[in-house]
Amino acid sequence: MHLDVLDLRNFYYRTNLGRVAQRAIREQVREIWPAAKGQTVAGFGFAVPLLRPLRTSARRVVAMMPGQQGVMPWPAGEENVSLLCEETAWPLPDGFVDKLILLHGLETSEHPAAVLEESLRVLRPGGRALFIVPNRSGLWARRDGTPFGFGRPYSSGQLEAQLRQHGFEPEAHRAALFSPPTSRRFWLKTASIWENAGQRMSAYYAGGVLMVEATKRVYRPTGLPAKDGLPRPLRILDALPQPGAEPA
């Protein structure tokens, strides 16, 4: 079940806990993808909090939001680049996207396999996708007061197996949201300390969200290679005497 776009907007832009979550996840995205110079970047679900840093270098940015969730204009005060779409039929041509981010788009979908198929379709060969989902063993997936408490949480093994099944090759994984999902002032003020400690210890099992970067797998051609040119002519009659010139 998709969350309403207004609830997502209010959480990320109007609550202190949402701003903390946005900052923590966005810092990891910056480390994975510091820039997207001249590239086409797309997001699906509610990825707009993570797309803004890439707009300065990307050639094109598109924010796709599923119809069950709803859409909002983005970015505020600028030319709109967000659109409403079916979660199983994105209005992008094949191989159009260089980088793709999914946030609140996979775990809440009723058709996750179709979402992954669309992700694979719109990526160019060798393109990169970043899948961000709630961590099954984390605290954030156990609280309904945040968007990460809805949908199906994943373990890293479950997510990577599902990606491989649909033509992706996982390249790297990270985690974020190591602080508790609470709006208490102490935890909000010390959130950056918990994030730094979690990253140094590589305690991915304790993070609130899992982040897996994957590339579009390019299959090698199979079968016998085709040969150019005409087949060799038959030489059965070569041994017979050839007719000579007629006498004058």
Side-chain angles (χ1 to χ4, degrees):
M1 180 185 70
H2 286 280
L3 295 170
D4 188 86
V5 67
L6 295 180
D7 294 332
L8 291 165
R9 182 197 64 182
N10 291 338
F11 173 75
Y12 280 106
Y13 295 105
R14 298 184 180 180
T15 68
N16 292 329
L17 182 60
R19 295 188 187 98
V20 166
Q22 178 182 163
R23 183 168 58 249
I25 300 174
R26 193 159 61 187
E27 284 300 316
Q28 295 306 308
V29 175
R30 281 176 174 169
E31 288 194 16
I32 299 172
W33 295 340
K37 186 175 181 180
Q39 296 181 328
T40 296
V41 181
F44 177 75
F46 194 77
V48 290
L50 310 179
L51 294 176
R52 182 174 293 276
L54 298 173
R55 291 187 70 241
T56 57
S57 59
R59 178 181 60 180
R60 183 186 295 108
V61 173
V62 180
M64 298 177 291
M65 301 188 186
Q68 300 91 327
Q69 168 190 292
V71 68
M72 72 175 194
W74 185 85
E78 301 180 38
E79 183 178 355
N80 179 61
V81 298
S82 65
L83 57 89
L84 190 69
C85 68
E86 292 291 337
E87 66 175 4
T88 58
W90 300 354
L92 298 178
D94 296 357
F96 183 72
V97 176
D98 297 290
K99 286 184 168 66
L100 174 67
I101 299 178
L102 276 79
L103 176 64
H104 304 304
L106 184 61
E107 75 275 8
T108 55
S109 173
E110 297 179 0
H111 309 283
V115 171
L116 291 176
E117 289 173 3
E118 281 297 278
S119 301
L120 191 73
R121 180 185 67 80
V122 301
L123 274 180
R124 66 170 178 80
R128 295 183 174 273
L130 187 60
F131 299 90
I132 305 170
V133 296
N135 183 3
R136 180 179 296 277
S137 62
L139 294 176
W140 289 71
R142 305 176 189 180
R143 182 177 175 185
D144 296 339
T146 77
F148 302 101
F150 293 85
R152 299 175 303 276
Y154 286 81
S155 68
S156 59
Q158 289 171 337
L159 180 56
E160 291 186 8
Q162 193 168 6
L163 294 178
R164 287 192 175 95
Q165 185 179 356
H166 289 87
F168 288 95
E169 186 61 36
E171 298 288 344
H173 63 277
R174 297 192 177 209
L177 302 185
F178 292 96
S179 59
T182 175
S183 296
R184 293 179 180 272
R185 187 175 180 181
F186 170 79
W187 295 108
L188 293 176
K189 292 186 68 174
T190 59
S192 60
I193 300 175
W194 293 103
E195 290 298 321
N196 293 333
Q199 297 299 335
R200 286 198 303 268
M201 294 186 297
S202 299
Y204 298 135
Y205 61 89
V209 296
L210 298 173
M211 309 171 66
V212 175
E213 183 193 23
T215 56
K216 181 175 181 176
R217 189 184 301 152
V218 179
Y219 294 95
R220 297 180 59 186
T222 58
L224 297 176
K227 296 183 179 180
D228 295 332
L230 297 174
R232 173 183 288 182
L234 295 175
R235 300 295 183 182
I236 298 176
L237 303 179
D238 286 355
L240 297 178
Q242 299 297 323
E246 295 183 359

